[in-house]
Amino acid sequence: MKKSTTDIIIRELEDLIRKGNAHVPFEDAVEEVSPRIVGVVPEGLPYSLWQLVEHIRITQWDILEFSRNPNYQSPEWPEGYWPTVAAPAREGILPLRWSG
């Protein structure tokens, strides 16, 4: 059976997301990052690794909630999309690869 253009596009998008064709999986990206530095803001840069990852999480959550809840109110921009602290508030909140 011949596939439609829509079927081909859906398959390609699934491959991009699931197979990592569009990005490096998070676990691979942080594999060699020491937990000791995730809350450190490097000199000359505005954010720590923790803040960048948390920003992505907050933004993805916002997109999801906006998409599924017609009454959803997004956080204030840009303050509501960035954590105010450089490191997580407690141990055990880091991804598994960062907690060792």
Side-chain angles (χ1 to χ4, degrees), residues 16-80:
L16 288 170
I17 294 168
R18 291 194 175 119
K19 294 182 180 178
N21 297 355
H23 55 82
V24 174
F26 179 78
E27 291 80 9
D28 293 348
V30 300
E31 185 172 26
E32 296 184 26
V33 175
S34 169
R36 293 185 301 269
I37 68 165
V38 299
V40 175
V41 178
E43 186 175 334
L45 296 176
Y47 304 107
S48 68
L49 287 173
W50 165 254
Q51 288 171 303
L52 292 172
V53 170
E54 186 65 359
H55 168 69
I56 293 167
R57 186 196 66 77
I58 293 167
T59 303
Q60 288 177 338
W61 172 79
D62 179 55
I63 292 167
L64 176 63
E65 288 301 308
F66 174 81
S67 300
R68 68 182 190 170
N69 180 354
N71 299 315
Y72 175 71
Q73 294 292 314
S74 292
E76 291 293 320
W77 177 261
E79 300 84 19

